[in-house]
Amino acid sequence: MTAENPTGPLAGRLDDDDYPAFTVGRAADMLGTTQGFLRAIGEARLITPLRSPGGHRRYSRYQLRIAARARELVDQGLPVEAACRIVALEDQLQEARRINAANLSTSRSAAGPPAAA
């Protein structure tokens, strides 16, 4: 086994942003917050951690980025619910921009090169 080609249960998942690799304790440590904060943003439905077979919360890197943004806003004085709403809207806007860029690229390539005048 090499670092470039892992085998076993993590094969192909180390680079997966959506793989639920982090426990609630590890996630809280990484974010410098409490487990209660992670539960609060889960209750606000900003993120929904996956559950291990034993029922323990597991977070992905993508979810940790979302949680970190929410924490920034809470640290600035916003209530958790307001921070969660703002982060959700920011995430929706980013996705819409990504889709628009992809559609623009597709339509430009379908139209072909501009005609010479």
Side-chain angles (χ1 to χ4, degrees), residues 39-54:
R39 286 191 293 274
I41 63 174
E43 290 170 9
R45 296 187 180 147
L46 178 61
I47 58 175
T48 303
L50 293 173
R51 298 285 181 152
S52 70

Side-chain angles (χ1 to χ4, degrees), residues 52-68:
S52 70
H56 301 283
R57 290 176 178 87
R58 298 280 190 250
Y59 296 88
S60 68
R61 289 188 300 178
Y62 171 75
Q63 289 172 323
L64 293 183
R65 283 195 302 275
I66 296 292

Side-chain angles (χ1 to χ4, degrees), residues 22-24 26-42 45-49 59-75 80 83-84 86-88 90-91:
F22 305 101
T23 64
V24 67
R26 179 69 179 127
D29 287 344
M30 291 170 68
L31 295 172
T33 190
T34 64
Q35 294 179 21
F37 174 78
L38 290 172
R39 286 191 293 274
I41 63 174
R45 296 187 180 147
L46 178 61
I47 58 175
T48 303
Y59 296 88
S60 68
R61 289 188 300 178
Y62 171 75
Q63 289 172 323
L64 293 183
R65 283 195 302 275
I66 296 292
R69 176 64 179 134
R71 180 165 186 249
E72 288 176 12
L73 294 171
V74 168
D75 288 349
V80 170
C84 289
I86 290 169
V87 172
E90 288 174 342
D91 195 48

Side-chain angles (χ1 to χ4, degrees), residues 6-31:
T7 60
L10 291 179
R13 295 185 178 162
L14 294 176
D15 293 328
D16 184 353
D17 262 2
D18 296 318
Y19 181 69
F22 305 101
T23 64
V24 67
R26 179 69 179 127
D29 287 344
M30 291 170 68
L31 295 172

